[in-house]
mmCIF file with all atom_site columns, all heavy atoms in Angstrom:
data_model
loop_
_atom_site.group_PDB
_atom_site.id
_atom_site.type_symbol
_atom_site.label_atom_id
_atom_site.label_alt_id
_atom_site.label_comp_id
_atom_site.label_asym_id
_atom_site.label_entity_id
_atom_site.label_seq_id
_atom_site.pdbx_PDB_ins_code
_atom_site.Cartn_x
_atom_site.Cartn_y
_atom_site.Cartn_z
_atom_site.occupancy
_atom_site.B_iso_or_equiv
_atom_site.pdbx_formal_charge
_atom_site.auth_seq_id
_atom_site.auth_comp_id
_atom_site.auth_asym_id
_atom_site.auth_atom_id
_atom_site.pdbx_PDB_model_num
ATOM 1   N N   . ALA A 1 39 ? 9.304  -8.545  -14.077 1.00 97.00 ? 39 ALA A N   1
ATOM 2   C CA  . ALA A 1 39 ? 8.620  -9.829  -14.227 1.00 97.00 ? 39 ALA A CA  1
ATOM 3   C C   . ALA A 1 39 ? 9.144  -10.850 -13.228 1.00 97.00 ? 39 ALA A C   1
ATOM 4   O O   . ALA A 1 39 ? 8.366  -11.599 -12.616 1.00 97.00 ? 39 ALA A O   1
ATOM 5   C CB  . ALA A 1 39 ? 8.790  -10.344 -15.657 1.00 97.00 ? 39 ALA A CB  1
ATOM 6   N N   . LEU A 1 40 ? 10.461 -10.881 -13.020 1.00 98.00 ? 40 LEU A N   1
ATOM 7   C CA  . LEU A 1 40 ? 11.037 -11.833 -12.073 1.00 98.00 ? 40 LEU A CA  1
ATOM 8   C C   . LEU A 1 40 ? 10.602 -11.534 -10.648 1.00 98.00 ? 40 LEU A C   1
ATOM 9   O O   . LEU A 1 40 ? 10.403 -12.448 -9.837  1.00 98.00 ? 40 LEU A O   1
ATOM 10  C CB  . LEU A 1 40 ? 12.562 -11.804 -12.180 1.00 98.00 ? 40 LEU A CB  1
ATOM 11  C CG  . LEU A 1 40 ? 13.161 -12.385 -13.463 1.00 98.00 ? 40 LEU A CG  1
ATOM 12  C CD1 . LEU A 1 40 ? 14.664 -12.137 -13.497 1.00 98.00 ? 40 LEU A CD1 1
ATOM 13  C CD2 . LEU A 1 40 ? 12.868 -13.885 -13.580 1.00 98.00 ? 40 LEU A CD2 1
ATOM 14  N N   . THR A 1 41 ? 10.438 -10.264 -10.328 1.00 98.00 ? 41 THR A N   1
ATOM 15  C CA  . THR A 1 41 ? 10.004 -9.886  -8.985  1.00 98.00 ? 41 THR A CA  1
ATOM 16  C C   . THR A 1 41 ? 8.579  -10.352 -8.723  1.00 98.00 ? 41 THR A C   1
ATOM 17  O O   . THR A 1 41 ? 8.277  -10.905 -7.655  1.00 98.00 ? 41 THR A O   1
ATOM 18  C CB  . THR A 1 41 ? 10.117 -8.362  -8.809  1.00 98.00 ? 41 THR A CB  1
ATOM 19  O OG1 . THR A 1 41 ? 11.485 -7.973  -8.994  1.00 98.00 ? 41 THR A OG1 1
ATOM 20  C CG2 . THR A 1 41 ? 9.658  -7.933  -7.418  1.00 98.00 ? 41 THR A CG2 1
ATOM 21  N N   . VAL A 1 42 ? 7.686  -10.139 -9.674  1.00 98.00 ? 42 VAL A N   1
ATOM 22  C CA  . VAL A 1 42 ? 6.310  -10.630 -9.518  1.00 98.00 ? 42 VAL A CA  1
ATOM 23  C C   . VAL A 1 42 ? 6.295  -12.154 -9.463  1.00 98.00 ? 42 VAL A C   1
ATOM 24  O O   . VAL A 1 42 ? 5.559  -12.757 -8.664  1.00 98.00 ? 42 VAL A O   1
ATOM 25  C CB  . VAL A 1 42 ? 5.415  -10.098 -10.647 1.00 98.00 ? 42 VAL A CB  1
ATOM 26  C CG1 . VAL A 1 42 ? 4.020  -10.723 -10.567 1.00 98.00 ? 42 VAL A CG1 1
ATOM 27  C CG2 . VAL A 1 42 ? 5.304  -8.577  -10.583 1.00 98.00 ? 42 VAL A CG2 1
ATOM 28  N N   . ASP A 1 43 ? 7.116  -12.798 -10.299 1.00 98.00 ? 43 ASP A N   1
ATOM 29  C CA  . ASP A 1 43 ? 7.181  -14.266 -10.281 1.00 98.00 ? 43 ASP A CA  1
ATOM 30  C C   . ASP A 1 43 ? 7.603  -14.779 -8.901  1.00 98.00 ? 43 ASP A C   1
ATOM 31  O O   . ASP A 1 43 ? 7.039  -15.750 -8.390  1.00 98.00 ? 43 ASP A O   1
ATOM 32  C CB  . ASP A 1 43 ? 8.169  -14.768 -11.336 1.00 98.00 ? 43 ASP A CB  1
ATOM 33  C CG  . ASP A 1 43 ? 7.639  -14.637 -12.756 1.00 98.00 ? 43 ASP A CG  1
ATOM 34  O OD1 . ASP A 1 43 ? 6.422  -14.415 -12.920 1.00 98.00 ? 43 ASP A OD1 1
ATOM 35  O OD2 . ASP A 1 43 ? 8.451  -14.754 -13.701 1.00 98.00 ? 43 ASP A OD2 1
ATOM 36  N N   . ARG A 1 44 ? 8.615  -14.138 -8.302  1.00 98.00 ? 44 ARG A N   1
ATOM 37  C CA  . ARG A 1 44 ? 9.068  -14.595 -6.989  1.00 98.00 ? 44 ARG A CA  1
ATOM 38  C C   . ARG A 1 44 ? 7.982  -14.366 -5.937  1.00 98.00 ? 44 ARG A C   1
ATOM 39  O O   . ARG A 1 44 ? 7.786  -15.198 -5.043  1.00 98.00 ? 44 ARG A O   1
ATOM 40  C CB  . ARG A 1 44 ? 10.347 -13.873 -6.586  1.00 98.00 ? 44 ARG A CB  1
ATOM 41  C CG  . ARG A 1 44 ? 10.949 -14.355 -5.269  1.00 98.00 ? 44 ARG A CG  1
ATOM 42  C CD  . ARG A 1 44 ? 11.442 -15.812 -5.343  1.00 98.00 ? 44 ARG A CD  1
ATOM 43  N NE  . ARG A 1 44 ? 12.466 -15.934 -6.360  1.00 98.00 ? 44 ARG A NE  1
ATOM 44  C CZ  . ARG A 1 44 ? 13.767 -15.690 -6.176  1.00 98.00 ? 44 ARG A CZ  1
ATOM 45  N NH1 . ARG A 1 44 ? 14.190 -15.309 -4.975  1.00 98.00 ? 44 ARG A NH1 1
ATOM 46  N NH2 . ARG A 1 44 ? 14.627 -15.839 -7.157  1.00 98.00 ? 44 ARG A NH2 1
ATOM 47  N N   . ALA A 1 45 ? 7.278  -13.247 -6.048  1.00 98.00 ? 45 ALA A N   1
ATOM 48  C CA  . ALA A 1 45 ? 6.166  -13.014 -5.121  1.00 98.00 ? 45 ALA A CA  1
ATOM 49  C C   . ALA A 1 45 ? 5.140  -14.129 -5.239  1.00 98.00 ? 45 ALA A C   1
ATOM 50  O O   . ALA A 1 45 ? 4.636  -14.641 -4.228  1.00 98.00 ? 45 ALA A O   1
ATOM 51  C CB  . ALA A 1 45 ? 5.528  -11.649 -5.397  1.00 98.00 ? 45 ALA A CB  1
ATOM 52  N N   . TRP A 1 46 ? 4.829  -14.504 -6.451  1.00 98.00 ? 46 TRP A N   1
ATOM 53  C CA  . TRP A 1 46 ? 3.872  -15.597 -6.667  1.00 98.00 ? 46 TRP A CA  1
ATOM 54  C C   . TRP A 1 46 ? 4.399  -16.890 -6.050  1.00 98.00 ? 46 TRP A C   1
ATOM 55  O O   . TRP A 1 46 ? 3.668  -17.635 -5.390  1.00 98.00 ? 46 TRP A O   1
ATOM 56  C CB  . TRP A 1 46 ? 3.614  -15.788 -8.157  1.00 98.00 ? 46 TRP A CB  1
ATOM 57  C CG  . TRP A 1 46 ? 2.456  -16.679 -8.449  1.00 98.00 ? 46 TRP A CG  1
ATOM 58  C CD1 . TRP A 1 46 ? 2.475  -18.043 -8.559  1.00 98.00 ? 46 TRP A CD1 1
ATOM 59  C CD2 . TRP A 1 46 ? 1.100  -16.289 -8.653  1.00 98.00 ? 46 TRP A CD2 1
ATOM 60  N NE1 . TRP A 1 46 ? 1.222  -18.522 -8.828  1.00 98.00 ? 46 TRP A NE1 1
ATOM 61  C CE2 . TRP A 1 46 ? 0.350  -17.466 -8.899  1.00 98.00 ? 46 TRP A CE2 1
ATOM 62  C CE3 . TRP A 1 46 ? 0.440  -15.057 -8.677  1.00 98.00 ? 46 TRP A CE3 1
ATOM 63  C CZ2 . TRP A 1 46 ? -1.017 -17.439 -9.145  1.00 98.00 ? 46 TRP A CZ2 1
ATOM 64  C CZ3 . TRP A 1 46 ? -0.922 -15.036 -8.928  1.00 98.00 ? 46 TRP A CZ3 1
ATOM 65  C CH2 . TRP A 1 46 ? -1.639 -16.218 -9.158  1.00 98.00 ? 46 TRP A CH2 1
ATOM 66  N N   . ASP A 1 47 ? 5.699  -17.151 -6.229  1.00 98.00 ? 47 ASP A N   1
ATOM 67  C CA  . ASP A 1 47 ? 6.299  -18.387 -5.724  1.00 98.00 ? 47 ASP A CA  1
ATOM 68  C C   . ASP A 1 47 ? 6.235  -18.475 -4.199  1.00 98.00 ? 47 ASP A C   1
ATOM 69  O O   . ASP A 1 47 ? 6.101  -19.574 -3.651  1.00 98.00 ? 47 ASP A O   1
ATOM 70  C CB  . ASP A 1 47 ? 7.753  -18.504 -6.181  1.00 98.00 ? 47 ASP A CB  1
ATOM 71  C CG  . ASP A 1 47 ? 7.886  -18.750 -7.677  1.00 98.00 ? 47 ASP A CG  1
ATOM 72  O OD1 . ASP A 1 47 ? 6.890  -19.135 -8.315  1.00 98.00 ? 47 ASP A OD1 1
ATOM 73  O OD2 . ASP A 1 47 ? 8.992  -18.530 -8.216  1.00 98.00 ? 47 ASP A OD2 1
ATOM 74  N N   . VAL A 1 48 ? 6.354  -17.335 -3.498  1.00 98.00 ? 48 VAL A N   1
ATOM 75  C CA  . VAL A 1 48 ? 6.306  -17.375 -2.029  1.00 98.00 ? 48 VAL A CA  1
ATOM 76  C C   . VAL A 1 48 ? 4.880  -17.279 -1.507  1.00 98.00 ? 48 VAL A C   1
ATOM 77  O O   . VAL A 1 48 ? 4.661  -17.255 -0.293  1.00 98.00 ? 48 VAL A O   1
ATOM 78  C CB  . VAL A 1 48 ? 7.193  -16.286 -1.385  1.00 98.00 ? 48 VAL A CB  1
ATOM 79  C CG1 . VAL A 1 48 ? 8.635  -16.427 -1.823  1.00 98.00 ? 48 VAL A CG1 1
ATOM 80  C CG2 . VAL A 1 48 ? 6.660  -14.888 -1.671  1.00 98.00 ? 48 VAL A CG2 1
ATOM 81  N N   . GLY A 1 49 ? 3.904  -17.213 -2.411  1.00 98.00 ? 49 GLY A N   1
ATOM 82  C CA  . GLY A 1 49 ? 2.503  -17.258 -2.007  1.00 98.00 ? 49 GLY A CA  1
ATOM 83  C C   . GLY A 1 49 ? 1.766  -15.950 -2.007  1.00 98.00 ? 49 GLY A C   1
ATOM 84  O O   . GLY A 1 49 ? 0.585  -15.900 -1.644  1.00 98.00 ? 49 GLY A O   1
ATOM 85  N N   . VAL A 1 50 ? 2.406  -14.854 -2.407  1.00 98.00 ? 50 VAL A N   1
ATOM 86  C CA  . VAL A 1 50 ? 1.719  -13.560 -2.456  1.00 98.00 ? 50 VAL A CA  1
ATOM 87  C C   . VAL A 1 50 ? 0.668  -13.588 -3.556  1.00 98.00 ? 50 VAL A C   1
ATOM 88  O O   . VAL A 1 50 ? 0.952  -13.954 -4.702  1.00 98.00 ? 50 VAL A O   1
ATOM 89  C CB  . VAL A 1 50 ? 2.728  -12.420 -2.696  1.00 98.00 ? 50 VAL A CB  1
ATOM 90  C CG1 . VAL A 1 50 ? 1.997  -11.099 -2.937  1.00 98.00 ? 50 VAL A CG1 1
ATOM 91  C CG2 . VAL A 1 50 ? 3.675  -12.293 -1.524  1.00 98.00 ? 50 VAL A CG2 1
ATOM 92  N N   . ARG A 1 51 ? -0.547 -13.159 -3.193  1.00 98.00 ? 51 ARG A N   1
ATOM 93  C CA  . ARG A 1 51 ? -1.632 -13.104 -4.181  1.00 98.00 ? 51 ARG A CA  1
ATOM 94  C C   . ARG A 1 51 ? -2.343 -11.740 -4.148  1.00 98.00 ? 51 ARG A C   1
ATOM 95  O O   . ARG A 1 51 ? -3.436 -11.604 -4.699  1.00 98.00 ? 51 ARG A O   1
ATOM 96  C CB  . ARG A 1 51 ? -2.658 -14.208 -3.910  1.00 98.00 ? 51 ARG A CB  1
ATOM 97  C CG  . ARG A 1 51 ? -2.110 -15.616 -4.072  1.00 98.00 ? 51 ARG A CG  1
ATOM 98  C CD  . ARG A 1 51 ? -1.715 -15.932 -5.510  1.00 98.00 ? 51 ARG A CD  1
ATOM 99  N NE  . ARG A 1 51 ? -1.282 -17.303 -5.681  1.00 98.00 ? 51 ARG A NE  1
ATOM 100 C CZ  . ARG A 1 51 ? -0.017 -17.726 -5.557  1.00 98.00 ? 51 ARG A CZ  1
ATOM 101 N NH1 . ARG A 1 51 ? 0.930  -16.840 -5.250  1.00 98.00 ? 51 ARG A NH1 1
ATOM 102 N NH2 . ARG A 1 51 ? 0.303  -18.984 -5.729  1.00 98.00 ? 51 ARG A NH2 1
ATOM 103 N N   . LEU A 1 52 ? -1.724 -10.759 -3.525  1.00 98.00 ? 52 LEU A N   1
ATOM 104 C CA  . LEU A 1 52 ? -2.266 -9.397  -3.469  1.00 98.00 ? 52 LEU A CA  1
ATOM 105 C C   . LEU A 1 52 ? -1.245 -8.460  -4.110  1.00 98.00 ? 52 LEU A C   1
ATOM 106 O O   . LEU A 1 52 ? -0.081 -8.420  -3.699  1.00 98.00 ? 52 LEU A O   1
ATOM 107 C CB  . LEU A 1 52 ? -2.519 -8.989  -2.018  1.00 98.00 ? 52 LEU A CB  1
ATOM 108 C CG  . LEU A 1 52 ? -2.901 -7.527  -1.759  1.00 98.00 ? 52 LEU A CG  1
ATOM 109 C CD1 . LEU A 1 52 ? -4.205 -7.168  -2.450  1.00 98.00 ? 52 LEU A CD1 1
ATOM 110 C CD2 . LEU A 1 52 ? -2.992 -7.253  -0.261  1.00 98.00 ? 52 LEU A CD2 1
ATOM 111 N N   . PHE A 1 53 ? -1.690 -7.721  -5.135  1.00 98.00 ? 53 PHE A N   1
ATOM 112 C CA  . PHE A 1 53 ? -0.802 -6.842  -5.887  1.00 98.00 ? 53 PHE A CA  1
ATOM 113 C C   . PHE A 1 53 ? -1.457 -5.472  -6.011  1.00 98.00 ? 53 PHE A C   1
ATOM 114 O O   . PHE A 1 53 ? -2.635 -5.367  -6.342  1.00 98.00 ? 53 PHE A O   1
ATOM 115 C CB  . PHE A 1 53 ? -0.530 -7.428  -7.274  1.00 98.00 ? 53 PHE A CB  1
ATOM 116 C CG  . PHE A 1 53 ? 0.078  -8.806  -7.239  1.00 98.00 ? 53 PHE A CG  1
ATOM 117 C CD1 . PHE A 1 53 ? -0.736 -9.938  -7.251  1.00 98.00 ? 53 PHE A CD1 1
ATOM 118 C CD2 . PHE A 1 53 ? 1.443  -8.977  -7.158  1.00 98.00 ? 53 PHE A CD2 1
ATOM 119 C CE1 . PHE A 1 53 ? -0.187 -11.205 -7.199  1.00 98.00 ? 53 PHE A CE1 1
ATOM 120 C CE2 . PHE A 1 53 ? 2.007  -10.243 -7.103  1.00 98.00 ? 53 PHE A CE2 1
ATOM 121 C CZ  . PHE A 1 53 ? 1.186  -11.365 -7.119  1.00 98.00 ? 53 PHE A CZ  1
ATOM 122 N N   . ASP A 1 54 ? -0.668 -4.426  -5.747  1.00 98.00 ? 54 ASP A N   1
ATOM 123 C CA  . ASP A 1 54 ? -1.208 -3.070  -5.738  1.00 98.00 ? 54 ASP A CA  1
ATOM 124 C C   . ASP A 1 54 ? -0.406 -2.169  -6.673  1.00 98.00 ? 54 ASP A C   1
ATOM 125 O O   . ASP A 1 54 ? 0.807  -2.025  -6.523  1.00 98.00 ? 54 ASP A O   1
ATOM 126 C CB  . ASP A 1 54 ? -1.169 -2.495  -4.320  1.00 98.00 ? 54 ASP A CB  1
ATOM 127 C CG  . ASP A 1 54 ? -1.751 -1.092  -4.273  1.00 98.00 ? 54 ASP A CG  1
ATOM 128 O OD1 . ASP A 1 54 ? -2.997 -0.970  -4.284  1.00 98.00 ? 54 ASP A OD1 1
ATOM 129 O OD2 . ASP A 1 54 ? -0.973 -0.128  -4.249  1.00 98.00 ? 54 ASP A OD2 1
ATOM 130 N N   . THR A 1 55 ? -1.104 -1.548  -7.616  1.00 98.00 ? 55 THR A N   1
ATOM 131 C CA  . THR A 1 55 ? -0.477 -0.656  -8.576  1.00 98.00 ? 55 THR A CA  1
ATOM 132 C C   . THR A 1 55 ? -1.300 0.619   -8.692  1.00 98.00 ? 55 THR A C   1
ATOM 133 O O   . THR A 1 55 ? -2.228 0.841   -7.926  1.00 98.00 ? 55 THR A O   1
ATOM 134 C CB  . THR A 1 55 ? -0.308 -1.365  -9.940  1.00 98.00 ? 55 THR A CB  1
ATOM 135 O OG1 . THR A 1 55 ? 0.387  -0.505  -10.847 1.00 98.00 ? 55 THR A OG1 1
ATOM 136 C CG2 . THR A 1 55 ? -1.660 -1.757  -10.533 1.00 98.00 ? 55 THR A CG2 1
ATOM 137 N N   . ALA A 1 56 ? -0.940 1.490   -9.641  1.00 98.00 ? 56 ALA A N   1
ATOM 138 C CA  . ALA A 1 56 ? -1.656 2.747   -9.860  1.00 98.00 ? 56 ALA A CA  1
ATOM 139 C C   . ALA A 1 56 ? -1.220 3.324   -11.196 1.00 98.00 ? 56 ALA A C   1
ATOM 140 O O   . ALA A 1 56 ? -0.077 3.121   -11.622 1.00 98.00 ? 56 ALA A O   1
ATOM 141 C CB  . ALA A 1 56 ? -1.376 3.750   -8.750  1.00 98.00 ? 56 ALA A CB  1
ATOM 142 N N   . PRO A 1 57 ? -2.099 4.083   -11.861 1.00 98.00 ? 57 PRO A N   1
ATOM 143 C CA  . PRO A 1 57 ? -1.693 4.719   -13.116 1.00 98.00 ? 57 PRO A CA  1
ATOM 144 C C   . PRO A 1 57 ? -0.475 5.612   -12.975 1.00 98.00 ? 57 PRO A C   1
ATOM 145 O O   . PRO A 1 57 ? 0.389  5.645   -13.860 1.00 98.00 ? 57 PRO A O   1
ATOM 146 C CB  . PRO A 1 57 ? -2.933 5.536   -13.508 1.00 98.00 ? 57 PRO A CB  1
ATOM 147 C CG  . PRO A 1 57 ? -4.076 4.808   -12.874 1.00 98.00 ? 57 PRO A CG  1
ATOM 148 C CD  . PRO A 1 57 ? -3.534 4.287   -11.580 1.00 98.00 ? 57 PRO A CD  1
ATOM 149 N N   . VAL A 1 58 ? -0.372 6.328   -11.853 1.00 98.00 ? 58 VAL A N   1
ATOM 150 C CA  . VAL A 1 58 ? 0.718  7.303   -11.701 1.00 98.00 ? 58 VAL A CA  1
ATOM 151 C C   . VAL A 1 58 ? 2.070  6.634   -11.462 1.00 98.00 ? 58 VAL A C   1
ATOM 152 O O   . VAL A 1 58 ? 3.107  7.266   -11.637 1.00 98.00 ? 58 VAL A O   1
ATOM 153 C CB  . VAL A 1 58 ? 0.391  8.305   -10.575 1.00 98.00 ? 58 VAL A CB  1
ATOM 154 C CG1 . VAL A 1 58 ? 0.621  7.692   -9.205  1.00 98.00 ? 58 VAL A CG1 1
ATOM 155 C CG2 . VAL A 1 58 ? 1.188  9.597   -10.738 1.00 98.00 ? 58 VAL A CG2 1
ATOM 156 N N   . TYR A 1 59 ? 2.087  5.364   -11.097 1.00 98.00 ? 59 TYR A N   1
ATOM 157 C CA  . TYR A 1 59 ? 3.352  4.679   -10.847 1.00 98.00 ? 59 TYR A CA  1
ATOM 158 C C   . TYR A 1 59 ? 4.094  4.475   -12.164 1.00 98.00 ? 59 TYR A C   1
ATOM 159 O O   . TYR A 1 59 ? 3.790  3.568   -12.948 1.00 98.00 ? 59 TYR A O   1
ATOM 160 C CB  . TYR A 1 59 ? 3.122  3.320   -10.179 1.00 98.00 ? 59 TYR A CB  1
ATOM 161 C CG  . TYR A 1 59 ? 2.515  3.366   -8.796  1.00 98.00 ? 59 TYR A CG  1
ATOM 162 C CD1 . TYR A 1 59 ? 2.028  2.212   -8.213  1.00 98.00 ? 59 TYR A CD1 1
ATOM 163 C CD2 . TYR A 1 59 ? 2.435  4.546   -8.063  1.00 98.00 ? 59 TYR A CD2 1
ATOM 164 C CE1 . TYR A 1 59 ? 1.479  2.231   -6.934  1.00 98.00 ? 59 TYR A CE1 1
ATOM 165 C CE2 . TYR A 1 59 ? 1.889  4.576   -6.798  1.00 98.00 ? 59 TYR A CE2 1
ATOM 166 C CZ  . TYR A 1 59 ? 1.403  3.414   -6.244  1.00 98.00 ? 59 TYR A CZ  1
ATOM 167 O OH  . TYR A 1 59 ? 0.841  3.434   -4.980  1.00 98.00 ? 59 TYR A OH  1
ATOM 168 N N   . GLY A 1 60 ? 5.077  5.345   -12.390 1.00 98.00 ? 60 GLY A N   1
ATOM 169 C CA  . GLY A 1 60 ? 5.813  5.267   -13.648 1.00 98.00 ? 60 GLY A CA  1
ATOM 170 C C   . GLY A 1 60 ? 4.996  5.685   -14.849 1.00 98.00 ? 60 GLY A C   1
ATOM 171 O O   . GLY A 1 60 ? 5.336  5.342   -15.977 1.00 98.00 ? 60 GLY A O   1
ATOM 172 N N   . TYR A 1 61 ? 3.906  6.446   -14.588 1.00 98.00 ? 61 TYR A N   1
ATOM 173 C CA  . TYR A 1 61 ? 3.048  6.980   -15.662 1.00 98.00 ? 61 TYR A CA  1
ATOM 174 C C   . TYR A 1 61 ? 2.555  5.858   -16.588 1.00 98.00 ? 61 TYR A C   1
ATOM 175 O O   . TYR A 1 61 ? 2.697  5.899   -17.814 1.00 98.00 ? 61 TYR A O   1
ATOM 176 C CB  . TYR A 1 61 ? 3.786  8.050   -16.469 1.00 98.00 ? 61 TYR A CB  1
ATOM 177 C CG  . TYR A 1 61 ? 4.352  9.171   -15.635 1.00 98.00 ? 61 TYR A CG  1
ATOM 178 C CD1 . TYR A 1 61 ? 5.292  10.043  -16.154 1.00 98.00 ? 61 TYR A CD1 1
ATOM 179 C CD2 . TYR A 1 61 ? 3.961  9.350   -14.307 1.00 98.00 ? 61 TYR A CD2 1
ATOM 180 C CE1 . TYR A 1 61 ? 5.822  11.078  -15.385 1.00 98.00 ? 61 TYR A CE1 1
ATOM 181 C CE2 . TYR A 1 61 ? 4.487  10.368  -13.532 1.00 98.00 ? 61 TYR A CE2 1
ATOM 182 C CZ  . TYR A 1 61 ? 5.417  11.221  -14.070 1.00 98.00 ? 61 TYR A CZ  1
ATOM 183 O OH  . TYR A 1 61 ? 5.956  12.233  -13.306 1.00 98.00 ? 61 TYR A OH  1
ATOM 184 N N   . GLY A 1 62 ? 1.949  4.846   -15.975 1.00 98.00 ? 62 GLY A N   1
ATOM 185 C CA  . GLY A 1 62 ? 1.390  3.716   -16.716 1.00 98.00 ? 62 GLY A CA  1
ATOM 186 C C   . GLY A 1 62 ? 2.301  2.517   -16.784 1.00 98.00 ? 62 GLY A C   1
ATOM 187 O O   . GLY A 1 62 ? 1.840  1.398   -17.067 1.00 98.00 ? 62 GLY A O   1
ATOM 188 N N   . ARG A 1 63 ? 3.568  2.686   -16.511 1.00 97.00 ? 63 ARG A N   1
ATOM 189 C CA  . ARG A 1 63 ? 4.522  1.585   -16.667 1.00 97.00 ? 63 ARG A CA  1
ATOM 190 C C   . ARG A 1 63 ? 4.258  0.466   -15.660 1.00 97.00 ? 63 ARG A C   1
ATOM 191 O O   . ARG A 1 63 ? 4.326  -0.722  -16.004 1.00 97.00 ? 63 ARG A O   1
ATOM 192 C CB  . ARG A 1 63 ? 5.941  2.120   -16.523 1.00 97.00 ? 63 ARG A CB  1
ATOM 193 C CG  . ARG A 1 63 ? 7.025  1.056   -16.695 1.00 97.00 ? 63 ARG A CG  1
ATOM 194 C CD  . ARG A 1 63 ? 8.394  1.706   -16.772 1.00 97.00 ? 63 ARG A CD  1
ATOM 195 N NE  . ARG A 1 63 ? 8.604  2.306   -18.082 1.00 97.00 ? 63 ARG A NE  1
ATOM 196 C CZ  . ARG A 1 63 ? 9.510  3.245   -18.334 1.00 97.00 ? 63 ARG A CZ  1
ATOM 197 N NH1 . ARG A 1 63 ? 10.242 3.727   -17.343 1.00 97.00 ? 63 ARG A NH1 1
ATOM 198 N NH2 . ARG A 1 63 ? 9.674  3.715   -19.551 1.00 97.00 ? 63 ARG A NH2 1
#
Side-chain angles (χ1 to χ4, degrees):
L40 290 173
T41 300
V42 174
D43 287 346
R44 184 66 60 85
W46 192 273
D47 291 344
V48 302
V50 172
R51 296 294 184 270
L52 172 62
F53 302 91
D54 181 78
T55 184
V58 77
Y59 295 167
Y61 306 165
R63 181 170 284 160

